[in-house]
Amino acid sequence: AQSVAQPEDQVNVAEGNPLTVKCTYSVSGNPYLFWYVQYPNRGLQFLLKYITGDNLVKGSYGFEAEFNKSQTSFHLKKPSALVSDSALYFCAVRDYTDKLIFGTGTRLQVFP
Amino acid sequence: NAGVTQTPKFRVLKTGQSMTLLCAQDMNHEYMYWYRQDPGMGLRLIHYSVGEGTTAKGEVPDGYNVSRLKKQNFLLGLESAAPSQTSVYFCASSFGQGKGETQYFGPGTRLLVL
């Protein structure tokens, strides 16, 4: 079955430090992976996606994600966290019917 | 462009009441989706549409109906609301449904059923 897992409910990081939000996936065939961010009382905003090509994908707001086929992971990263990055982050994967399957979300808290 | 908009932003219903949530997009997208978001469960697909006049069931369609009479609008109806339908509802749209297509989301409708 196609699935995506976000093993951490919450990630805490100090402003200025690097951040990582983890995502692992299970799909048959080539994976198509997405990251979305949800700010409080707002809808989901698209950050970046992996379709094919370079394993390091760059996206909006200075975020990037590293695709690792052997570890079936697609971790979201940022070199230097901002307090304004505090939000709920969702990883998603396309299933065999082309629907998006979402993870349960990881709350990122960046402390000043 | 406004993107994807949703009406209303917040609503309180009593059990058994009915209501319609409206989603509108101005990006000329063919595909539209309704999701619900519950704590600890991510987003789950309720219904979707691949074009004007078409609808299809998603993962959790029971208790909901949808209509896509115009390309830019996608309506989600609750005929007889139940407390289990308390949730945040998101509409999304995309140009296509290919593997790499990006879905764009509205701001959400928060629904409380008492």
Side-chain angles (χ1 to χ4, degrees):
Chain A
Q2 330 285 308
S3 65
V4 62
Q6 295 181 244
E8 302 158 316
D9 289 336
Q10 181 154 329
V11 170
N12 299 317
V13 64
E15 188 173 32
N17 283 0
L19 70 88
T20 299
V21 183
K22 296 180 180 177
C23 173
T24 60
Y25 65 89
S26 174
V27 296
S28 54
N30 294 324
Y32 294 80
L33 298 152
F34 300 76
W35 275 103
Y36 285 84
V37 60
Q38 183 181 27
Y39 297 102
N41 299 314
R42 302 285 294 277
L44 277 71
Q45 295 181 28
F46 170 72
L47 275 179
L48 51 81
K49 64 184 175 184
Y50 172 82
I51 302 174
T52 187
D54 288 341
N55 290 341
L56 187 65
V57 180
K58 294 190 183 297
S60 306
Y61 312 123
F63 283 93
E64 56 190 27
E66 186 173 9
F67 172 68
N68 188 316
K69 188 172 184 178
S70 62
Q71 296 186 4
T72 62
S73 66
F74 189 54
H75 300 332
L76 183 69
K77 300 183 178 184
K78 189 174 183 182
S80 179
L82 299 172
V83 172
S84 57
D85 292 331
S86 298
L88 188 57
Y89 290 81
F90 288 97
C91 182
V93 65
R94 286 281 184 197
D95 73 3
Y96 69 97
T97 66
D98 290 340
K99 308 292 186 304
L100 271 182
I101 305 297
F102 286 86
T104 53
T106 298
R107 187 163 300 281
L108 173 66
Q109 192 71 43
V110 181
F111 295 95
Chain B
N1 288 349
V4 181
T5 58
Q6 292 182 232
T7 309
K9 288 185 171 56
F10 176 70
R11 184 77 182 268
V12 179
L13 287 181
K14 295 181 180 179
T15 297
Q17 287 184 318
S18 64
M19 78 163 295
T20 300
L21 283 67
L22 172 63
C23 176
Q25 52 93 5
D26 62 1
M27 296 177 283
N28 201 33
H29 284 171
E30 288 292 335
Y31 291 73
M32 297 187 74
Y33 313 83
W34 276 107
Y35 292 88
R36 59 177 290 172
Q37 181 185 29
D38 301 294
M41 301 189 72
L43 276 75
R44 293 181 292 169
L45 182 64
I46 304 171
H47 285 282
Y48 65 100
S49 167
V50 302
E52 181 179 322
T54 74
T55 63
K57 294 180 180 179
E59 181 186 355
V60 288
D62 294 342
Y64 305 95
N65 57 74
V66 288
S67 64
R68 182 100 180 269
L69 298 179
K70 293 183 178 181
K71 185 177 182 178
Q72 63 269 32
N73 295 339
F74 194 29
L75 279 64
L76 178 71
L78 287 73
E79 289 187 350
S80 180
S84 60
Q85 294 177 305
T86 293
S87 188
V88 182
Y89 292 86
F90 288 103
C91 177
S93 70
S94 65
F95 183 73
Q97 200 172 303
K99 294 290 188 187
E101 287 287 344
T102 300
Q103 291 184 15
Y104 296 91
F105 285 79
T109 295
R110 190 172 298 272
L111 177 65
L112 175 62
V113 183
L114 301 174

